[in-house]
Amino acid sequence: MKILENISLKPFNSFGIDAVAAYFASFNSDDELEALLRSETAINNHCLVLGGGSNILLTKDFPGLVMKNEIKGIEVVNETEDQFIIKAGAGENWHQLVLHCVEQGYAGLENLSLIPGNVGASPMQNIGAYGVEIKDVFEALEAFHIKDKSIEKFDREACSFGYRESVFKNKYKGQFIITSVSFRLNKQPLFNTTYGAIQQELERMNVQELSIRAVSQAVINIRSSKLPDPKLIGNAGSFFKNPFVSMEQFELLKDKFPSIVAFPLEGGNFKLAAGWLIEQCGWKGFRQGDAGCYPKQALVLVNYGSAKGAEILDLSEKIIRSVEAKFGVVLEREVNII
Ligand code: FAD
Ligand code: EPU
């Protein structure tokens, strides 16, 4: 384990922001992590744990220690008549884990294909797509308590998962480093193909017999058609969360804006499509310098080349203000601002 100095973080964040970390080190085991946390550099500086860097916006140089999680390994740790418990190291690439499970016939992760980033960050915001969130397949995780230098185990309840939320983003923010995550996956798939355009895509693909492989491919195809590939255009996926409003607020909005896009939630609230709100404010396709709002998906802010994190943040602030002025709805950022 070597601590490097003055390292550009450009290759380590999907926005492609060129910010510099004063110190940078990677770790590939719990022991290496503990040794790193006991180092003078970690004790005397702010620390930032990094996975794939696909949900952060670096707004300035990072004056502390960036710790890149490289803990690997995927194993079946338990098997029942109808399920497998799969444990994956936090440093495993998420999509590679999904493909591995699809290959092996472990069902449950296929709708979450092609989400960038690593396993360790997946519980942070309870990643979700196409009708599935990781809370639906989550078994447990292990996390290193930074202060106590001990490993703690969290079951689903202890993680307090919500829409793009968990205890690690709130109550325990900055206190734990997730080292492994376990998932409860089915031998017999329970297909979830009702969300968005999955069914349509399966038909277009001419799929005769439904399989987790086909669902995974359909999700890959849909995502590739609308979301920018970070290798080509810097981005961190949806920059904002889809906001929730009460039924009364929704009805008032619907009277004023009859084509508003919303989804009813259990309990009577509505989830508004933030992409629609942003598009209605005229931001879709907007570009100033290298900071922009993606022309195919207004919820995604992009870096066309050499935008600074502060420029993207500034654009996001303008979008929040204009959506609030037009609809009275305050958008919340999904991306972690560093
Ligand atoms: P990072 O960006 O490295 O880290 C994110 C946050 O978690 C940071 O605050 C970091 O400090 C913290 N963190 C990272 N690892 C750990 C750890 N081991 N322990 C504790 N804290 C940690 N998200 C969705 O939910 N659904 C989608 O459909 C989706 N689509 C996307 C599409 C694109 C093109 C892109 C670029 C992003 C998309 N995202 C989506 C967002 C992103 O992929 C997820 O949030 C992903 O889980 C981030 O993983 P990461 O390893 O890159 O996290
Ligand atoms: N829409 C517009 N204009 C746009 C974009 C969207 O009008 O520019 C409307 C359309 O009516 C569309 C609807 O919004 O049908 C929903 O759009 P989409 O299906 O693309 O999904 P989303 O709500 O924008 C969410 C997640 C994505 C996830 C997809 C698929 C959030 C914040 N985002 O996007 O997650 O992949 O659903 O499940 O919940 C991420 O978190 O980074 C992410 C990409």
Side-chain angles (χ1 to χ4, degrees), residues 161-220:
F161 289 124
Y163 165 62
R164 299 293 190 272
E165 284 297 344
S166 77
V167 76
F168 302 102
K169 240 183 139 174
N170 295 305
K171 188 172 153 201
Y172 294 147
K173 194 172 172 168
Q175 294 184 37
F176 285 93
I177 296 176
I178 296 165
T179 53
S180 72
V181 188
S182 313
F183 302 95
R184 182 176 282 276
L185 303 176
N186 293 320
K187 293 184 178 174
Q188 284 302 322
L190 293 166
F191 295 111
N192 188 336
T193 59
T194 52
Y195 191 97
I198 298 186
Q199 200 58 49
Q200 217 177 315
E201 180 58 20
L202 289 166
E203 279 161 31
R204 197 201 58 79
M205 287 161 62
N206 202 16
V207 169
Q208 304 296 325
E209 201 180 328
L210 199 54
S211 63
I212 56 173
R213 192 187 295 253
V215 173
S216 169
Q217 192 58 52
V219 169
I220 291 172

Side-chain angles (χ1 to χ4, degrees), residues 133 163 195 242-245 261-265 269-273:
E133 292 180 328
Y163 165 62
Y195 191 97
N242 285 323
F244 292 4
V245 294
V261 180
F263 308 91
L265 299 169
N269 287 346
F270 281 78
K271 179 151 114 175
L272 305 180

Side-chain angles (χ1 to χ4, degrees), residues 12-15 27 47-57 67-69 71 90-92 94 111-130 132-133 142-144 146 163-164 168-169 173-181 223 227-230 233-238 300 334-338:
F12 301 107
N13 73 99
S14 64
F15 252 123
F27 56 93
C47 295
L48 171 71
V49 61
L50 204 58
S54 60
N55 206 23
I56 55 165
L57 177 67
M67 305 187 295
K68 177 111 173 68
N69 192 328
I71 299 176
E92 287 288 343
W94 175 263
N111 292 50
L112 301 174
S113 297
L114 211 63
I115 297 182
N118 291 354
V119 167
S122 64
M124 284 294 293
Q125 68 158 11
N126 177 27
I127 56 168
Y130 295 93
V132 175
E133 292 180 328
E142 287 175 335
F144 197 89
I146 296 174
Y163 165 62
R164 299 293 190 272
F168 302 102
K169 240 183 139 174
K173 194 172 172 168
Q175 294 184 37
F176 285 93
I177 296 176
I178 296 165
T179 53
S180 72
V181 188
R223 295 182 64 97
L227 293 167
D229 177 351
I233 303 178
N235 77 94
S238 302
V300 179
E334 180 202 286
V335 170
N336 298 279
I337 309 298
I338 311 282

Side-chain angles (χ1 to χ4, degrees), residues 245-263:
V245 294
S246 66
M247 191 184 291
E248 296 89 69
Q249 197 179 354
F250 170 67
E251 276 163 5
L252 289 172
L253 284 165
K254 180 91 186 152
D255 278 348
K256 221 167 152 197
F257 307 99
S259 59
I260 192 165
V261 180
F263 308 91

